[in-house]
Structure formats: structure tokens, C-alpha cells
Amino acid sequence: MEIATKELTGKVALVTGGTKGIGKAIADELKGLGATVIISARRRPDANPEHAFIAADLTKPEDNKQLAEKIIKEYGALDILINNVGGTSAPAGGFSVLSDQDWENDLQLNLLAAVKLDRALVPLMIERNTGVVIHISSLNGKLPLYASNFSYGVTKAALNNYSKALANELASKGIRVITVSPGMVKTTAMENFLQSYGSSIGKNLDETAQLVMDSLGGVPLNRLAQPEEIAHLIGFLVSPKASYITGSNVVIDGGTIPTVY
């Protein structure tokens, strides 16, 4: 669908993990709204990316630093930062199967990657007294699932708290900070997770997806979200239409959470 307005014309946006899934959908959405979009990921995709691409493994301090330096050198400013990188490779099975390395990996990917990149790039926004930072969290940060992704949910909860604290600090400096917590989204990463979890409990992909939805208390819309549905929300949140929204954790979960809290 063609986006009628170009509300982000003249804005520079960075989307981490922007080569596939939710990240790619967000990058495409922001470009459609007129922004100059930069994407980062560990590896360049097989096909030429549609947006400016900078390779970076954000769990590595040197890559974080180099990404920020390249953006400063090539663009001179950053208006929108989408911290989308996240995920887990930790095994299912609860707390007792998680090693120190499992915890360290999830902390680096789901919390500290965003912390370090914010520290490198938010000063550009402070200098200009304007900017928007979005942290892509997860429903599991509010509704943890101990059996399937224990450490992932815990680290996303930490990201939620960090994002709120940062929002409070930066509000007076003209910068909005917002958390977005998707529920289950139809991506390759989600499919890989469901296949891995399903194989550990002897269920196929559809059975595992239903099991996870049921373990969350059910999804009233009874389906997974499409990445574009998350991206449309992000497009609104970074636009002038959302100028009074900061410090919020916006849940987009098909109605899973039964009450607001």
C-alpha cells in the first residue's frame, strides 16, 4: 500500500537488525515515509539491500563504536534510532538448563547492545535537542515463559526498565524514548524458535505455535502478527503525530495481555 504522506522527509534513521523480519519491515516503512534509512546486521544479505547498509555485530564493543563513527562521518546527524536487534539461542527447559554463557549471550544481545548504541548515538540527538529512540522489546518482558525462553524474557524485562529510565532522563532534552513489545510475529526467527522448541517437546510447528499462544493465556485474534503490522506502529510512533508519547511501553500482541498495567 502506498503511503500518502512523507512525514519523515529529511530525517535520518538507523534500524539495527534491519535486513529481515521486523527490522526489514520497519526500514521499509520509514523509507516509505520519506526517511533516509540505514540498516545494520552482522552480515550483508545475499541480495543487495534496499537501504544503506553497515555491517556490525552489536554484541562487540568495537563494532558498536565503528557503526556510530560511520554514521557520524557519513550523515552528521541521526534523528531516529530503532534498537531492533534481539533474540536468543538459549535452550528451553527452565532455569536449571541455562549456563552462565546463555545468560551472558542474552544480556549482550537483548539489553547491552541497545545500551551501548544509545550511549554512542544519543549524544548526536542531545546536541540538536531532538530525536526518537525506539527499543523493540517483547511481550515476554511482561509475560515470561519459563519453559521455552526463560533468559530471553528476563533480559527483555531489563530492557523495558532501562528504556523507561532513559525516557525520563532525556525528555527535557527534546528526545522521546519508547518501548514497543510485540507478541508472536511471523518471522524466520520465530519459526526457527518454534521448530527448535517443538523438537525438544515432540511437537510440530503448528502444535508448538498453539502451545506457546495458549501458555500466554491465549491470543484473542488467534494468529501471529505480520512484521508489517509492527512496522506501521513504529511509523506512527516516530512521526510528529506521536509527539506527546514518551516513556511508554506499547504492546502489540493481538489482545494477549488481558489488562493494562
Side-chain angles (χ1 to χ4, degrees), residues 85-87 110 136-138 140-141 151-161:
V85 159
N110 296 306
I136 305 298
S137 185
S138 168
N140 293 138
S151 53
Y152 175 76
V154 171
T155 54
K156 286 298 191 181
L159 179 66
N160 295 348
N161 196 289

Side-chain angles (χ1 to χ4, degrees), residues 21-186:
I22 294 173
K24 183 180 186 305
I26 293 171
D28 292 345
E29 177 83 6
L30 300 188
K31 181 180 179 180
L33 288 167
T36 297
V37 179
I38 310 148
I39 59 174
S40 72
R42 293 177 180 178
R43 291 175 293 276
R44 178 179 288 271
D46 294 335
N48 283 333
E50 301 172 21
H51 313 284
F53 175 81
I54 302 175
D57 179 350
L58 296 182
T59 65
K60 297 179 178 178
E62 61 273 20
D63 280 24
N64 235 305
K65 180 180 178 182
Q66 289 172 9
L67 174 60
E69 288 175 347
K70 287 180 180 178
I71 290 173
I72 293 169
K73 180 180 179 180
E74 295 181 25
Y75 299 92
L78 187 70
D79 302 287
I80 299 165
L81 173 55
I82 312 293
N83 283 293
N84 171 66
V85 159
T88 185
S89 58
F95 84 97
S96 62
V97 304
L98 297 174
S99 67
D100 288 351
Q101 193 59 54
D102 292 326
W103 282 103
E104 179 66 27
N105 291 344
D106 275 9
L107 280 167
Q108 288 292 338
L109 190 58
N110 296 306
L111 174 64
L112 296 178
V115 170
K116 293 171 184 176
L117 197 58
D118 288 348
R119 190 166 59 207
L121 289 172
V122 165
L124 292 177
M125 298 178 177
I126 293 175
E127 288 177 5
R128 300 167 64 235
N129 201 43
T130 184
V132 184
V133 179
I134 304 284
H135 296 113
I136 305 298
S137 185
S138 168
L139 181 64
N140 293 138
K142 286 178 169 287
L143 291 177
L145 299 176
Y146 69 86
S148 57
N149 54 14
F150 194 120
S151 53
Y152 175 76
V154 171
T155 54
K156 286 298 191 181
L159 179 66
N160 295 348
N161 196 289
Y162 160 73
S163 187
K164 177 63 174 177
L166 187 66
N168 290 345
E169 179 178 358
L170 297 181
S172 64
K173 304 182 188 327
I175 300 163
R176 298 189 294 117
V177 182
I178 304 163
T179 305
V180 173
S181 292
M184 297 176 69
V185 184
K186 192 173 183 179

